[in-house]
Amino acid sequence: MNDPRPNDPRPNDARVQDPRPNDHRVHEDPRPNDHRRLGRELGLFDTDPLMGAGLPYWLPDGAVVRHTLEEYVREAERAAGYRHVYSPILGKRDLYEISGHWDHYRDDMFPPMDLGADQVVLRPSLCPHHALIYRSRSHSYRELPLRIAELGGMYRSELSGVLGGLTRVRAIQLNDAHIFCTLEQAVEEARAALALIARAYADLGIRASRHRLSLPGEGGKYVADPQLWRRATALLREVLDSSGVDYEAVGGEAAFYGPKIDVQITDPAGREATLSTVQIDFHQPERFDLHYIGADGAKHRPVMVHRSVIGSVERAVAHLVEAHGGAFPVWLAPVQLVVLPVAGAQEERAHEVVRLAEARGLRARVDGPGEGTLGARIRAARLVPYQAVIGEREAGGGLVAVRLRDGRRPGAVPVDEVLHRIAGRVADRGSELWPAA
């Protein structure tokens, strides 16, 4: 569980209140980079009153961005030694009573559903499920750290007045992971998680505005175990200090079971939100009676490190849309190359170039003369990283006239070279559209 606000298990939230309802008018916003407006203009996502507030749907181009982002995270996690699992979006009420969510967040969870003699609930968090997955098998100290990750759904009952686009929703796709480790391994695992977040931000073009050590405050519902809080806080300070990042300790922002590191982002309007978190948890391993067999043959309690690289997919995409103004990095762009035949005589060649691009795994399309003048088509595709214009001369010479999103025009270039360059930019997730050869 990765919590961006005090006593709240819901990582897709922020301490930012948006009074506008999340209905069919939610995209009406004067800010040019507002993700709700851009999301509609770019055909990424939308909402419908019949689906309900806070329940956006993803259009094809938005689904491409989401899928690409999810696969990036899975790949990064696999490379870092995580193993992926799937767990159900429902759980018995008893599960959340054990974890503490029922006592702390009953009003923020959807009502229980009667299922025979049981009551089941849409989960507000993934960590209780991962604790059960760990508990389902015996573990030796030799297996630790055991890193399990999931891109899974979770749900929260938000008032309609605070919903907004993708940043405040009721159905959340969460990038979550839990590391079960020894006490001696906890700091290094948390530090590695923080480094993984930093690498992802660099690849995605996200800038962290600050790191926050979130501590308990007055009047909140926190686990009453002062020793637990002191141990976890000391370890997280060690993580931050050894990572060399500046941070601010803030009271009243902790999760109910322990302190956490929040990685804060700021949107173009200056509004701050939590995107990623790292937590060290002594509480839930005890609640679920988790253990491993140590070198001495005795049972020992593991530490549970919670971490999320990009938090909720919804919030991450919302921030990416606004941070890049819809001009996504090449590897993340829903369309990476648009081919523009000058006249109908070049359309067949344009479609052939698209087939060659797709064979290299690139996302490409043809915008033909039937969709307007060449100038109009160029303007309509202004956010696509690469435009390839094909006139009579280019079609006859195996060339395309390349135009870049940043305004540069490398000129007439052989098709194979163009596709090779674009594929290279996608593979290395480079930020430079046309580096020197």
Side-chain angles (χ1 to χ4, degrees):
M1 181 177 68
N2 298 283
D3 310 353
R5 70 180 184 183
N7 294 318
D8 195 322
R10 303 167 304 182
N12 194 40
D13 204 337
R15 299 184 62 77
V16 175
Q17 298 297 312
D18 189 336
R20 291 165 295 197
N22 189 29
D23 60 13
H24 62 288
R25 299 179 301 276
V26 78
H27 298 275
E28 298 173 5
D29 191 284
R31 294 187 293 116
N33 274 18
D34 184 88
H35 79 278
R36 291 165 290 191
R37 184 185 65 79
L38 284 172
R40 169 169 285 180
E41 290 181 1
L42 299 176
L44 302 179
F45 71 93
D46 214 325
T47 58
D48 191 291
L50 284 177
M51 289 190 188
L55 300 170
Y57 57 86
W58 297 79
L59 295 164
D61 278 356
V64 168
V65 174
R66 172 173 166 168
H67 176 78
T68 304
L69 180 61
E70 290 176 349
E71 284 304 299
Y72 165 79
V73 171
R74 288 192 181 98
E75 178 187 328
E77 289 173 335
R78 284 193 294 267
Y82 289 84
R83 303 184 69 184
H84 290 92
V85 298
Y86 289 103
S87 58
I89 61 171
L90 292 170
K92 289 175 64 174
R93 170 178 161 175
D94 311 57
L95 172 61
Y96 305 109
E97 288 177 344
I98 293 172
S99 70
H101 291 88
W102 185 255
D103 290 339
H104 290 86
Y105 298 109
R106 189 179 317 169
D107 294 338
D108 299 313
M109 296 166 62
F110 282 97
M113 295 172 278
D114 291 327
L115 190 63
D118 296 322
Q119 285 191 320
V120 295
V121 184
L122 285 167
R123 66 179 173 191
S125 173
L126 278 67
C127 52
H129 293 250
H130 288 187
L132 294 184
I133 289 173
Y134 176 88
R135 198 175 72 176
S136 68
R137 303 287 187 275
S138 61
H139 299 281
S140 162
Y141 72 96
R142 294 186 180 90
E143 299 174 59
L144 306 185
L146 176 63
R147 309 177 186 99
I148 62 173
E150 180 175 3
L151 273 160
M154 65 181 226
Y155 302 83
R156 64 184 182 189
S157 178
E158 283 279 16
L159 297 176
S160 61
V162 299
L163 298 171
L166 295 178
T167 58
R168 298 287 295 270
V169 296
R170 289 172 171 159
I172 304 157
Q173 191 72 12
L174 180 65
N175 160 232
D176 206 7
H178 297 91
I179 304 162
F180 300 89
C181 61
T182 68
L183 178 61
E184 293 74 23
Q185 295 168 332
V187 168
E188 178 53 37
E189 289 300 313
R191 185 164 49 226
L194 208 56
L196 185 59
I197 291 168
R199 289 196 297 275
Y201 281 26
D203 287 340
L204 292 165
I206 296 174
R207 187 179 68 85
S209 55
R210 66 177 177 131
H211 290 72
R212 185 178 71 195
L213 176 59
S214 296
L215 303 174
E218 296 294 331
K221 295 181 179 179
Y222 300 104
V223 173
D225 190 333
Q227 182 181 2
L228 176 154
W229 287 94
R230 285 194 297 270
R231 292 173 70 200
T233 300
L235 291 175
L236 288 179
R237 286 189 184 276
E238 184 178 345
V239 170
L240 287 162
D241 291 339
S242 62
S243 297
V245 298
D246 294 330
Y247 66 93
E248 178 184 3
V250 179
E253 301 287 348
F256 73 85
Y257 56 83
K260 57 196 174 79
I261 297 171
D262 289 324
V263 184
Q264 302 295 103
I265 56 171
T266 303
D267 69 15
R271 300 182 300 190
E272 184 179 274
T274 299
L275 187 61
S276 311
T277 61
V278 179
Q279 304 161 273
I280 292 178
D281 179 10
F282 296 103
H283 173 70
Q284 293 202 59
E286 182 176 339
R287 296 279 291 190
F288 285 97
D289 191 26
L290 306 183
H291 63 266
Y292 65 91
I293 305 302
D296 58 359
K299 289 184 177 181
H300 298 267
R301 189 80 69 199
V303 178
M304 192 171 175
V305 177
H306 307 236
R307 58 103 283 220
S308 182
V309 175
I310 60 166
S312 78
V313 172
E314 291 80 10
R315 170 161 293 167
V317 171
H319 185 73
L320 288 167
V321 169
E322 297 194 353
H324 296 294
F328 293 104
V330 177
W331 66 274
L332 194 57
V335 178
Q336 295 158 331
L337 169 68
V338 62
V339 184
L340 304 166
V342 173
Q346 290 89 48
E347 283 199 79
E348 183 177 346
R349 176 56 177 162
H351 284 287
E352 183 181 344
V353 171
V354 166
R355 287 193 290 271
L356 291 171
E358 291 174 339
R360 290 177 177 255
L362 301 178
R363 298 186 287 272
R365 72 165 190 251
V366 173
D367 284 357
E371 298 177 54
T373 66
L374 180 61
R377 286 178 280 148
I378 288 172
R379 289 190 295 275
R382 67 190 182 280
L383 297 180
V384 177
Y386 301 93
Q387 298 179 359
V389 179
I390 301 180
E392 184 177 352
R393 181 174 71 90
E394 288 82 14
L399 306 171
V400 291
V402 179
R403 302 172 67 101
L404 307 182
R405 182 172 60 194
D406 60 16
R408 287 180 291 161
R409 300 185 187 184
V413 182
V415 171
D416 285 346
E417 180 181 340
V418 171
L419 299 183
H420 176 74
R421 281 178 175 264
I422 298 173
R425 296 291 82 196
V426 172
D428 65 14
R429 301 190 179 95
S431 59
E432 175 58 56
L433 290 176
W434 198 265

